[in-house]
Every structure is written in C-alpha cells, then in structure tokens.
Amino acid sequence: MKTKKHHLLIWVLLCLTLLVSSIAIAPQQETAAAPKTDAKLTAIKKRGYMVLGVSADYPPYEFHKTINGEDKVVGFDIDLARQVAKDIGVELRIKELGFDSLLGSLKTGKVDMIVSAMTPTPEREKEVAFSQPYLTVAQKVIVRKGEENKYRSVMAFKGQKVGVQKQTTQEQTAKDELSGAKVVSLEKVTDLILNLQQKKLNAVVVEAPVANAYVQTNKALTLANVKFTNADYGCAVAVAKGAPAYLANVNKTIKTVQKNGQFAKWQKTANTLMFSKQNFWQAYGSYFLKGTGITIVLTILGVFFGSLLGTLLALMKRAKNKLIKGIAVVYIQYFRGTPLLVQVFMIYFGTQVIHLNVSAFASAALALSLNSGAYVSEVIRSGIQSVAKGQSEAARSLGLSSKQTMRLVVLPQAVKTILPALGNEFISLLKESAIVSVIGVGELMFQTSVVQGSSFKPFLPLVIASLIYFALTLILSLVLRVFEKN
Amino acid sequence: MTTILETQQLTKSFGNNQILKGIDSKIEKGEVIVVIGPSGSGKSTYLRCLNSLETSTSGTVSFEGQVVNQLSEEQLDKIREKMGMVFQSFNLFANYSVLQNLNLAPMYVQGISETEATQKSRALLAQVGLADKADAQPTSLSGGQQQRVAIARALAMNPDVMLFDEPTSALDPEMVGEVLNVIKDLAQTGMTMVIVTHEMGFAKNVADQVWFMDQGQLIEKGTPEQVFDHPQEARTKDFLSKILAS
C-alpha cells in the first residue's frame, strides 16, 4: 500500500507554497455544517471538468492497460473517481504524477482530488482533507516458494531481512509486529520483489491485493501464513481542505457505490484486467516507444534552449557591467550547485505558487533548459578561453571592435572546442532527463515504472530502458563524431 | 617635422610590478626608431601602450596630437586602425586563409567591398613576395612567410605608423633575413616605424634613431653611430658588450 509520507523535499516546497499563498490569498473560513456548495465545488462546476491526481503504477488500484490497441489508465480507483465526477456533473481528467508529487499537486491546485490508494495518516490530515475510507485492506507477507514453512508466525522473522515500501504502513507494521526482523525500506514494490527473487531479502510485506497479484503471476513466490494483529487500514479520497460541500459530495458517492455493490464490481473488473494475459511486447511496447519519443523531444528542447541561454549567459559573464555579470555568475553557480531534481520540483510547484498553471511537460522542458543553460555557458566560456590571446590582440590592433573580434575571430575558432563539449552536454542531458519522471512527465523512465507496475515484472523493463538509453547515447555520440570530423 | 606619437611620464604596472617607470618619448613622422635592451626591460610593454593594447597606469600617450588615455573604446578602435602592429608570434587568424586575413579589417572596419579589398591585398602579398600564397591556410606557411603575411595584413589598413614587437624572435635563423628585408623595404618608403628587436646589425642599418631601454626606463637615445659606437651610459655599454661578445 502506498502510504508513503512525502519526500522531505516536498515538505519544504509545501511550506514555501503555504508561506507564499498565505500571504497572497485571504484565509478561507471553514463552516461547521456542510453547506450546499463552496468555492471549490462552484469552481469545478463552472469549469466543467475536474482533475484527478493519480500515480498509475499500482495495480489493481490504478494501472496502465492497452485495451483494443489503446493505452488506458484503469483500476477501481479510476472508476471511483469517474463516478465522483459524474455525480458532480462534470468530466474527469486524469493527471498522472509520481506518488511523491500528489499531495503537493493537490495543495497547489494542480489537481482537484487524489484517488491513488492513499491512506489517511495524521501527517497527511494536517495538509489535506480525507473522505471516509472506500476500501479496507489487510497486509500479507510474500516469501520464496519452498520457504513458506519457515515463516509460520511473526516470531519466525527474527534476524531475517524483511522488505517494505519506504514510509508506508507496512514499514510500521513490520517494525512493530515482526519482532527481531531486520526491516529494509525501499522505494518501490517492484524493487522489493526483485530483491526477494535475488535472495537479498527473505520476505516482503505488502498489502493483500498487491501480494495476491505478484504471487499469482510469479511461480517462484508464495504467501506466508502470518497474521498481523493490528494491520488493517483504509484507503480514502483526498481533497483540498476548506471545501466541506465538495467533500460531502465525494462521501456521498463512496457510500452509494459501496451500498449498491458497484465498488465490488469495479474491483472484480480490475482484477480480471490485471491478470489478463498479453504478450509483453504487444502490451507494453508502445509505452517504451512513447517514452523514448518524449525523452528525445525533451532533450532536444533542453539542448536548444539551453544553448541559446548558455550563449547569452557566457556573453553576460564577459560584460563590463557588474550587475549583468553578477546575475550571470549567480545564475550559473545556482543551477550548477543544486540538484536537477530540486530544480524540477521548484519550477513545477513554484510556477503554481505564482499562479501560473504550467504543465508538467513544460515545467520539465523549462527545468532542463535552465539547467543545461548553466552548463552550456561554461562550455562556451572555456571554448572562448581556449583561443589564443594573440588572436584577439591582432584583431584589436587592426581596429576591429571587441564585438567584431568576438564574432569574426574568436567564436569561429572557439566552436572547435565548444562542439565536442556541447555534444557531451547533449548526452548527459538525455540521461538526466530521467529525473523529470517524478512530476509525471511520460518520458522513458516514467513509462518504465508504469510497465514495471502493471506487468509485475520488476526487472525486464529496467533492462529494456537501459538498452534504449544506451542505444540513444551511442547513436548520438556516433553522429557527433561524424559532425566533429567535418 | 610633425610628431606622430608622444609619451609623457608613461608608467605601467601589473599589480605591484612596475614595468614602465616614466617614459618620455617622441616619434616624428617618417622616423624609424629601433628599441633595444635586455629582456624584461619593458620594450614590448612600451610598444603595446603606444596603441592602447595595454592601458597606461599613469602619464599620457598622444597620437597625432590627441591624448588617447581618456578616449572611449570606439575612439580607441579608430586610433588602432591607423597603427599597424606586428607580433612576435605572427597571430594570423587561424580560421581564415591568407587573403581573408588581409581582407578582414578593410572590409569590416573600413567597409571596403570585397573586390576592392582583394585587389589591394593581392598587391600587398606581391609586395612581401607571397603572391602565390593568397589561398593558403596560415598553418601551412613557414614562420617567415607567416610573419610577412602579418606585415601585409597590417599594411592593408594603410596605417600611419607601424609597430614591430620582436618580429624575428620566433623565427628559425634562416628565415630572419626575408622578414628583415621586407621591413627594410618598408623603411625606404618613408613609413614611420617603431621596431623592438635584438638584431643589432639590422638596427644599425635601418634605424634613424636607436633607443636603449633598461628596467622600465629609456636610458639613452641617439643615431645608430652614437649609441653603438659611442655609448654614453654605463648600462648601455654593459649591454652592448654582452651582445657583441656573444
């Protein structure tokens, strides 16, 4: 179960967001009894659609499936969200994000609700409002087949390595109830299964629907007969705080679908879809193709705008004006001195804070361009420095201005040094672009984790992704070599 | 006689290191001045101050009656047009052919058409004996040929004065002659020239005046006969005895 608390980073960003928005927006008043409508509900109705935030790599809750040749996000969470929208009388739009980015997106208004197998925790309840639970689930222990007899009680795990998803309810349960076990926390369920298969872990604690899925699709794994005493919990829909009428609408939908058996039907459909046999390539080939395409487009955009920006910065850094020079120096230092991951989050959430609704793709392209600009400017600077000083002295002694000297003499020679280095920057940007998967841009790495999740094959998609990246960088470096020779 | 270049109490420091310690000098139109002196005496720095490649620390530099110290970058560019400079390491533009090296400044600074510039450049190349090298790349030429191209390139701007900064120091011995001959021919045309060199025979031959510099100061000036045959200052005598002994 994905009951992760957020990444520390998101908290910092949220605090920033809160700080800024508390200055910018007058505090909304909360009323005790749910009124007929509220600002949020009115806004959604007026807009005619609502945005669902979901991390669609978690079958059977939410996952990608190719149905009749078309890639779709399915699962009972999606069905529930669609029903909520239908009951309000608007269209549903799905926005895919990394699980870590969901709460941030809800708080900054990029999405209207989260239905993504999320469990209410005290920390989360401080940030957003939760509906009543729509599903209660138990937790299970997966072990390698043949070893299930070793693990018949919670006491049997003493000294054993037990894997859990980081910052989840399972992590807590394992620590509380599997006495003496060495609990290992990892990011993704797929990673846990991979470790279990390779005997780096002896057991994995996950929630029942997920455990069942893996055991059914993987013959080397089975369930251990272990009962936890205090481990059932619920999944709920998250919405922004301060919208009582909106929340009441959500609760009403949940109550209805549980009563009339609709939710149970959705669960069944999701399970069937999840286990429907498909040829791996037929089912997932298009994901890799799409991801590769987006990765290439992002890289091209990043390199193009990065080069423009980098040239500008390199010129600014040579300016006599101290302010212009200072701006360039600080900019380059900042973007080279902070992780790209932080920059991506800053831009994606930061633009929302200043009330600009920038899409994840645009944020990613922007972050890559801004980041690459800093590196390109250094490439250009060192290229310019590589041209012998005598060249510009000779030009100046003939009466050429400093601009003419740069344009006619120095830059044409610097290009010889700049081009190969720029090629390296191109290659490294291609690889770095994997980072933007965290804000849900559907590039290669994002698609890879989607496939990992929905195929229950944790390793193969990684191999494929690595081969694609390798092929791309190989082709790129060959092209560059030809280019350099000319 | 008209004064083309003049310096008054010219000093130049790099950090705490004072290279020029108050130079008073005057160069008249049509004069050929040869500056001699030991390495590190400030000869090159003096030359670079004359066309503002280096900015003086104090004192003044005047060109054709105009004090250049206070001029803007654009005005300095105008002044540099009229002063040709030849460097020790040739500094031909590596990204252009020989002809393009000559054409560049006339076309972009003076706005002359390519046809006209080419015509003139070819004449200049013929003048320095390199008519057949117009389309060659600089790196394919010998050092002596490169330096002759560099001289032609400076002449392409019709300068009022030519500055030579040790033009033969980077050359193999057998190539020194061809470059000095070009400079000698140029001196015959009445071109005003300031030449920093270690070639004493050449200095005697071509100079109207020989200046001896040491430790950032102009120690002695005079005709070649005066300076070489009857030096007045002890430092000049010392320098010349070392040079002639070798």
Coordinates of all heavy atoms in Angstrom, one line a residue, chain B residues 25-27 31-37 43 46 193-213 217-233 236 239-240 243:
Chain B
S25 N 58.9 60.2 -24.5 CA 59.4 59.8 -25.8 C 58.6 60.6 -26.9 O 57.5 61.0 -26.7 CB 59.3 58.3 -26.1 OG 58.0 57.9 -26.0
K26 N 59.2 60.7 -28.1 CA 58.6 61.4 -29.2 C 59.0 60.8 -30.5 O 60.2 60.4 -30.7 CB 59.2 62.9 -29.2 CG 58.1 63.9 -29.5 CD 58.8 65.3 -29.4 CE 57.8 66.3 -28.7 NZ 58.3 67.7 -28.8
I27 N 58.0 60.5 -31.3 CA 58.3 59.8 -32.6 C 57.8 60.8 -33.7 O 56.6 61.1 -33.8 CB 57.7 58.4 -32.7 CG1 58.3 57.5 -31.6 CG2 57.9 57.8 -34.1 CD1 57.4 56.5 -31.1
E31 N 60.1 58.7 -39.2 CA 61.3 58.2 -38.5 C 61.2 56.7 -38.3 O 60.1 56.1 -38.2 CB 61.3 58.8 -37.1 CG 62.3 59.9 -36.9 CD 62.4 60.3 -35.5 OE1 61.4 60.2 -34.7 OE2 63.5 60.8 -35.1
V32 N 62.4 56.1 -38.3 CA 62.4 54.7 -38.0 C 63.2 54.6 -36.6 O 64.4 54.9 -36.6 CB 63.2 53.8 -39.1 CG1 63.3 52.4 -38.6 CG2 62.4 53.9 -40.4
I33 N 62.5 54.1 -35.6 CA 63.1 54.0 -34.3 C 63.3 52.6 -34.0 O 62.4 51.7 -34.2 CB 62.1 54.6 -33.2 CG1 61.5 55.9 -33.6 CG2 62.8 54.5 -31.8 CD1 62.4 57.1 -33.3
V34 N 64.5 52.2 -33.6 CA 64.7 50.8 -33.1 C 64.9 50.9 -31.6 O 65.8 51.6 -31.1 CB 65.9 50.2 -33.8 CG1 66.3 48.9 -33.2 CG2 65.6 50.0 -35.3
V35 N 64.1 50.0 -30.9 CA 64.3 50.0 -29.4 C 65.0 48.7 -29.1 O 64.6 47.6 -29.5 CB 62.9 50.0 -28.8 CG1 63.0 50.1 -27.2 CG2 62.0 51.2 -29.3
I36 N 66.1 48.9 -28.4 CA 66.9 47.7 -27.9 C 67.0 47.7 -26.4 O 66.6 48.7 -25.8 CB 68.3 47.7 -28.5 CG1 69.1 49.0 -28.1 CG2 68.3 47.6 -30.1 CD1 70.6 48.9 -28.4
G37 N 67.4 46.6 -25.9 CA 67.5 46.5 -24.4 C 67.3 45.1 -24.0 O 66.8 44.2 -24.7
K43 N 60.4 46.9 -23.2 CA 60.2 47.3 -24.6 C 58.9 47.0 -25.2 O 58.2 47.8 -25.8 CB 61.3 46.7 -25.5 CG 62.7 46.8 -24.9 CD 63.8 46.2 -25.9 CE 63.6 44.7 -26.0 NZ 64.0 43.8 -24.9
Y46 N 56.0 48.9 -23.7 CA 56.0 50.3 -24.2 C 55.3 50.3 -25.5 O 54.4 51.1 -25.7 CB 57.5 50.8 -24.3 CG 57.6 52.0 -25.1 CD1 57.2 53.3 -24.6 CD2 58.2 52.0 -26.4 CE1 57.3 54.4 -25.4 CE2 58.3 53.2 -27.2 CZ 57.8 54.4 -26.6 OH 58.0 55.5 -27.4
M193 N 58.1 54.0 -38.2 CA 58.1 52.7 -37.6 C 58.8 52.7 -36.3 O 59.8 53.4 -36.0 CB 58.9 51.7 -38.5 CG 58.3 51.6 -39.9 SD 58.8 50.1 -40.8 CE 60.4 50.4 -41.3
V194 N 58.3 51.9 -35.4 CA 58.9 51.6 -34.1 C 59.2 50.1 -34.0 O 58.2 49.3 -34.1 CB 58.1 52.1 -32.9 CG1 58.9 51.9 -31.6 CG2 57.6 53.5 -33.0
I195 N 60.5 49.7 -33.9 CA 60.8 48.3 -34.0 C 61.5 47.9 -32.8 O 62.6 48.5 -32.4 CB 61.7 48.1 -35.3 CG1 61.1 48.6 -36.5 CG2 62.0 46.6 -35.4 CD1 62.0 48.7 -37.7
V196 N 61.0 46.9 -32.1 CA 61.7 46.3 -31.0 C 62.4 45.1 -31.5 O 61.7 44.2 -32.1 CB 60.7 45.9 -29.8 CG1 61.4 45.1 -28.8 CG2 60.0 47.1 -29.2
T197 N 63.7 45.0 -31.3 CA 64.4 43.9 -31.9 C 65.7 43.6 -31.2 O 66.2 44.5 -30.4 CB 64.7 44.1 -33.4 OG1 65.3 43.0 -34.0 CG2 65.6 45.3 -33.6
H198 N 66.2 42.4 -31.4 CA 67.6 42.1 -30.9 C 68.6 42.0 -32.0 O 69.7 41.7 -31.8 CB 67.5 40.7 -30.2 CG 66.7 40.8 -28.9 ND1 67.1 41.5 -27.8 CD2 65.5 40.2 -28.6 CE1 66.2 41.4 -26.9 NE2 65.2 40.6 -27.3
E199 N 68.1 42.3 -33.3 CA 69.0 42.2 -34.4 C 69.8 43.5 -34.6 O 69.4 44.5 -35.1 CB 68.2 42.0 -35.7 CG 67.4 40.7 -35.7 CD 68.3 39.5 -35.9 OE1 69.4 39.6 -36.4 OE2 67.8 38.4 -35.4
M200 N 71.0 43.5 -34.0 CA 71.8 44.8 -33.9 C 72.3 45.3 -35.3 O 72.3 46.5 -35.6 CB 73.0 44.6 -33.0 CG 72.6 44.3 -31.6 SD 71.5 45.6 -30.9 CE 70.6 44.7 -29.7
G201 N 72.7 44.3 -36.2 CA 73.1 44.7 -37.5 C 72.0 45.4 -38.2 O 72.2 46.4 -38.9
F202 N 70.8 44.8 -38.2 CA 69.7 45.4 -38.8 C 69.4 46.8 -38.2 O 69.1 47.7 -39.0 CB 68.5 44.4 -38.6 CG 67.1 45.0 -38.9 CD1 66.8 45.1 -40.3 CD2 66.2 45.4 -37.9 CE1 65.5 45.6 -40.6 CE2 65.0 45.9 -38.3 CZ 64.6 46.0 -39.6
A203 N 69.5 46.9 -36.9 CA 69.2 48.2 -36.2 C 70.1 49.2 -36.8 O 69.7 50.3 -37.1 CB 69.4 48.0 -34.7
K204 N 71.4 48.9 -36.9 CA 72.4 49.9 -37.4 C 72.0 50.3 -38.8 O 72.1 51.5 -39.1 CB 73.8 49.2 -37.5 CG 74.7 49.5 -36.3 CD 76.0 48.9 -36.6 CE 76.8 48.8 -35.3 NZ 78.0 48.0 -35.4
N205 N 71.6 49.3 -39.6 CA 71.3 49.5 -41.0 C 70.1 50.4 -41.2 O 70.1 51.3 -42.1 CB 71.0 48.2 -41.6 CG 71.7 48.0 -42.9 OD1 71.8 48.9 -43.7 ND2 72.3 46.8 -43.1
V206 N 69.0 50.2 -40.5 CA 67.7 50.7 -40.8 C 67.3 51.9 -40.0 O 66.5 52.7 -40.4 CB 66.7 49.6 -40.8 CG1 66.2 49.3 -39.4 CG2 65.5 49.9 -41.8
A207 N 67.9 52.0 -38.8 CA 67.3 53.0 -37.8 C 67.8 54.4 -38.1 O 68.9 54.7 -38.5 CB 67.8 52.6 -36.4
D208 N 66.8 55.4 -37.9 CA 67.2 56.8 -37.8 C 67.7 57.0 -36.4 O 68.6 57.8 -36.1 CB 66.0 57.7 -38.1 CG 65.6 57.5 -39.5 OD1 66.4 57.4 -40.4 OD2 64.3 57.4 -39.8
Q209 N 67.0 56.4 -35.4 CA 67.4 56.6 -34.0 C 67.4 55.2 -33.3 O 66.5 54.4 -33.6 CB 66.3 57.4 -33.3 CG 66.6 58.9 -33.4 CD 65.8 59.6 -32.3 OE1 66.0 59.4 -31.1 NE2 64.9 60.5 -32.7
V210 N 68.3 55.0 -32.4 CA 68.3 53.8 -31.6 C 68.0 54.2 -30.1 O 68.6 55.2 -29.7 CB 69.6 53.0 -31.7 CG1 69.6 51.9 -30.7 CG2 69.8 52.6 -33.1
W211 N 67.0 53.6 -29.5 CA 66.7 53.9 -28.1 C 67.1 52.6 -27.3 O 66.8 51.5 -27.6 CB 65.2 54.1 -27.9 CG 64.7 55.4 -28.6 CD1 65.5 56.3 -29.3 CD2 63.4 55.8 -28.6 NE1 64.7 57.3 -29.8 CE2 63.4 57.0 -29.4 CE3 62.2 55.3 -28.1 CZ2 62.2 57.7 -29.6 CZ3 61.0 56.0 -28.3 CH2 61.0 57.2 -29.1
F212 N 67.8 52.9 -26.2 CA 68.2 51.8 -25.3 C 67.3 51.9 -24.0 O 67.3 52.9 -23.3 CB 69.7 51.9 -24.9 CG 70.1 50.8 -23.9 CD1 70.1 49.5 -24.2 CD2 70.4 51.2 -22.6 CE1 70.4 48.5 -23.2 CE2 70.7 50.3 -21.6 CZ 70.7 48.9 -22.0
M213 N 66.6 50.8 -23.8 CA 65.7 50.7 -22.6 C 66.3 49.7 -21.6 O 66.8 48.6 -22.0 CB 64.3 50.3 -23.0 CG 63.4 51.5 -23.3 SD 61.7 50.9 -23.7 CE 61.1 50.6 -22.0
Q217 N 63.1 52.0 -18.0 CA 63.4 53.4 -18.3 C 64.1 53.5 -19.7 O 64.8 52.6 -20.1 CB 64.4 53.9 -17.2 CG 63.6 54.2 -15.9 CD 64.6 54.4 -14.8 OE1 65.6 53.7 -14.6 NE2 64.3 55.4 -13.9
L218 N 63.9 54.7 -20.3 CA 64.6 55.0 -21.5 C 66.0 55.6 -21.1 O 66.0 56.7 -20.6 CB 63.8 56.0 -22.3 CG 64.0 56.0 -23.8 CD1 64.0 54.6 -24.5 CD2 62.8 56.9 -24.4
I219 N 67.0 54.8 -21.3 CA 68.3 55.2 -20.8 C 69.1 56.1 -21.8 O 69.7 57.1 -21.4 CB 69.2 53.9 -20.5 CG1 68.5 53.0 -19.6 CG2 70.6 54.3 -20.0 CD1 68.3 53.5 -18.2
E220 N 69.0 55.8 -23.0 CA 69.9 56.5 -24.0 C 69.2 56.6 -25.4 O 68.7 55.6 -25.8 CB 71.3 55.9 -24.1 CG 72.3 56.7 -24.8 CD 73.7 56.2 -24.6 OE1 73.9 55.3 -23.8 OE2 74.6 56.8 -25.2
K221 N 69.3 57.7 -26.0 CA 68.8 57.8 -27.4 C 69.9 58.4 -28.3 O 70.7 59.2 -27.8 CB 67.6 58.8 -27.5 CG 66.4 58.5 -26.6 CD 65.4 59.6 -26.8 CE 64.3 59.5 -25.8 NZ 63.3 60.5 -26.0
G222 N 69.8 58.0 -29.6 CA 70.8 58.7 -30.4 C 70.8 58.0 -31.8 O 70.0 57.1 -32.0
T223 N 71.6 58.5 -32.7 CA 71.8 57.8 -34.0 C 72.4 56.5 -33.8 O 73.1 56.3 -32.7 CB 72.6 58.7 -35.0 OG1 74.0 58.8 -34.4 CG2 72.1 60.0 -35.2
P224 N 72.3 55.5 -34.7 CA 73.0 54.2 -34.5 C 74.5 54.4 -34.2 O 75.0 53.7 -33.3 CB 72.8 53.6 -35.9 CG 71.6 54.2 -36.5 CD 71.6 55.6 -36.0
E225 N 75.1 55.4 -34.9 CA 76.6 55.5 -34.6 C 76.8 56.0 -33.2 O 77.7 55.4 -32.5 CB 77.1 56.6 -35.6 CG 77.2 56.2 -37.0 CD 75.8 56.2 -37.7 OE1 74.9 57.0 -37.3 OE2 75.6 55.4 -38.7
Q226 N 76.0 56.9 -32.7 CA 76.2 57.4 -31.3 C 76.0 56.3 -30.3 O 76.8 56.1 -29.5 CB 75.1 58.5 -31.0 CG 75.5 59.9 -31.7 CD 74.4 60.9 -31.5 OE1 73.2 60.5 -31.4 NE2 74.7 62.1 -31.7
V227 N 74.9 55.5 -30.5 CA 74.6 54.5 -29.5 C 75.5 53.3 -29.6 O 76.0 52.8 -28.6 CB 73.1 54.1 -29.6 CG1 72.8 53.0 -28.6 CG2 72.2 55.3 -29.3
F228 N 75.7 52.9 -30.8 CA 76.5 51.6 -30.9 C 78.0 51.9 -30.8 O 78.7 51.1 -30.2 CB 76.2 50.9 -32.3 CG 74.9 50.3 -32.3 CD1 73.9 50.7 -33.2 CD2 74.6 49.2 -31.4 CE1 72.7 50.0 -33.3 CE2 73.4 48.6 -31.5 CZ 72.4 49.0 -32.4
D229 N 78.5 53.0 -31.3 CA 79.9 53.2 -31.3 C 80.4 54.1 -30.2 O 81.5 53.9 -29.7 CB 80.3 53.9 -32.7 CG 79.9 53.0 -33.9 OD1 79.8 51.8 -33.6 OD2 79.8 53.5 -35.0
H230 N 79.6 55.0 -29.7 CA 80.0 55.8 -28.6 C 78.9 55.9 -27.5 O 78.4 57.0 -27.2 CB 80.3 57.3 -29.1 CG 81.2 57.3 -30.3 ND1 82.5 57.0 -30.2 CD2 80.9 57.5 -31.6 CE1 83.1 57.0 -31.4 NE2 82.1 57.3 -32.3
P231 N 78.6 54.8 -26.9 CA 77.5 54.9 -25.9 C 78.0 55.7 -24.7 O 79.2 55.6 -24.3 CB 77.3 53.4 -25.5 CG 78.6 52.7 -25.9 CD 79.1 53.4 -27.1
Q232 N 77.1 56.5 -24.1 CA 77.4 57.4 -23.0 C 77.2 56.7 -21.7 O 77.9 57.0 -20.7 CB 76.6 58.7 -23.1 CG 76.8 59.4 -24.4 CD 78.2 59.9 -24.6 OE1 78.8 60.6 -23.8 NE2 78.8 59.6 -25.7
E233 N 76.1 55.9 -21.6 CA 75.7 55.4 -20.3 C 76.4 54.1 -20.0 O 76.5 53.2 -20.9 CB 74.2 55.2 -20.3 CG 73.4 56.5 -20.5 CD 73.5 57.5 -19.3 OE1 73.7 57.0 -18.2 OE2 73.4 58.7 -19.6
T236 N 74.3 51.0 -21.0 CA 74.3 50.8 -22.5 C 75.6 50.0 -22.9 O 75.5 49.0 -23.6 CB 74.2 52.1 -23.3 OG1 73.3 52.9 -22.6 CG2 73.8 51.9 -24.7
F239 N 75.4 46.4 -21.8 CA 74.5 45.6 -22.6 C 75.2 45.3 -23.9 O 75.2 44.2 -24.4 CB 73.2 46.4 -22.8 CG 72.3 45.7 -23.8 CD1 71.6 44.6 -23.4 CD2 72.1 46.3 -25.1 CE1 70.7 44.0 -24.3 CE2 71.2 45.7 -26.0 CZ 70.5 44.5 -25.6
L240 N 75.7 46.4 -24.6 CA 76.3 46.2 -25.9 C 77.5 45.2 -25.8 O 77.7 44.4 -26.7 CB 76.7 47.5 -26.5 CG 75.5 48.4 -26.9 CD1 76.0 49.8 -27.4 CD2 74.8 47.7 -28.1
I243 N 76.2 41.7 -25.8 CA 75.6 41.4 -27.1 C 76.7 41.0 -28.1 O 76.7 40.0 -28.8 CB 74.7 42.5 -27.6 CG1 73.5 42.7 -26.8 CG2 74.4 42.3 -29.1 CD1 72.4 41.7 -27.1

